[in-house]
Amino acid sequence: MTNLKKNANLVEALGSSLRSGDHGLKAVPGLVKRVLAEGAWRSFVTQRGELVEYDQFEEFVTTPPLKGLGASMALVRTLVRDDAVALDLFDDAIQLANGGDRRSEDFSLHNIQTETAAAPSGTSREAGLRRLRKDRPDLHAEVLAGTLTTHAAMVKAGFRRRMVNIPVDEPQAAAMALRRNLPPDAVAELAKLLAAET
């Protein structure tokens, strides 16, 4: 059963944190996690006693207070980007909103490009979390537990290649970096390739 009062308290705390400057903004990722995980944004009662219900998270975020947060999706994304769990829940809420029947006439008539329409891409943390959530839930769980970074999990899954930084201004430092990061047979193969180029 939905606890409207508890939901209202969470929504109010999140809205207040978004409006209260630096100190309050630090609380946003934790509150976003709770609001999303508990579904508090879907149904709550305002301080004026009005019942508010949403199907789309973006509508909840962009609706002015007291019925919503009165914020942009870009702002919320920015505030949660350093918290893997909050970012993952945020992305999941967006992904669910963008799913569904995209062939119906109703979708065609009412399809408006929103700021959440584009899927995260490239090497962004959000793109990595989405790919892991879909294809490697075991590694996704490790990222959310804090035992792996998103990048390390993507490499472990084979979705990204492992890369290292090599200093190019000192050959000795470059050689040391390669020896630290490559198995001996790869170092020997690299030495042959470099010698063949001269």
Side-chain angles (χ1 to χ4, degrees), residues 66-182:
L66 298 168
K67 293 184 177 182
L69 297 179
S72 71
M73 293 295 279
L75 173 65
V76 177
R77 178 185 281 117
T78 298
L79 293 173
V80 302
R81 72 177 168 215
D82 293 331
D83 185 310
V85 175
L87 182 62
D88 187 62
L89 287 166
F90 177 84
D91 181 64
D92 195 37
I94 292 169
Q95 198 172 12
L96 290 173
N98 291 335
D101 176 15
R102 293 175 170 262
R103 294 185 184 151
S104 71
E105 184 178 327
D106 188 51
F107 177 80
S108 299
L109 290 173
H110 302 291
N111 181 25
I112 299 169
Q113 290 294 341
T114 67
E115 61 182 297
T116 61
S121 60
T123 58
S124 72
R125 190 177 198 190
E126 201 170 348
L129 284 168
R130 184 176 285 193
R131 177 81 189 269
L132 291 166
R133 183 171 60 240
K134 179 177 177 263
D135 297 326
R136 286 299 302 271
D138 56 328
L139 295 175
H140 179 257
E142 287 189 53
V143 172
L144 297 185
T147 58
L148 271 181
T149 65
T150 305
H151 178 72
M154 290 290 284
V155 169
K156 192 172 181 179
F159 301 148
R160 287 185 191 158
R161 293 169 67 182
R162 182 170 174 256
M163 304 289 220
V164 294
N165 288 325
I166 305 295
V168 295
D169 57 342
E170 295 180 40
Q172 186 176 359
M176 287 174 58
L178 289 167
R179 280 192 208 104
R180 269 195 317 271
N181 290 284
L182 293 175

Side-chain angles (χ1 to χ4, degrees), residues 24-91:
L25 293 178
K26 292 175 184 170
V28 169
L31 288 167
V32 167
K33 280 190 278 196
R34 288 196 59 200
V35 164
L36 284 167
E38 298 176 25
W41 63 274
R42 292 186 177 278
S43 182
F44 59 92
V45 175
T46 69
Q47 292 173 350
R48 295 179 184 151
E50 300 167 288
L51 175 63
V52 181
E53 295 181 310
Y54 291 104
D55 290 322
Q56 302 293 321
F57 183 64
E58 182 174 6
E59 187 181 0
F60 161 72
V61 170
T62 58
T63 299
L66 298 168
K67 293 184 177 182
L69 297 179
S72 71
M73 293 295 279
L75 173 65
V76 177
R77 178 185 281 117
T78 298
L79 293 173
V80 302
R81 72 177 168 215
D82 293 331
D83 185 310
V85 175
L87 182 62
D88 187 62
L89 287 166
F90 177 84
D91 181 64

Side-chain angles (χ1 to χ4, degrees), residues 174-194:
M176 287 174 58
L178 289 167
R179 280 192 208 104
R180 269 195 317 271
N181 290 284
L182 293 175
D185 58 332
V187 172
E189 179 65 22
L190 178 61
K192 284 181 196 173
L193 291 168
L194 289 171

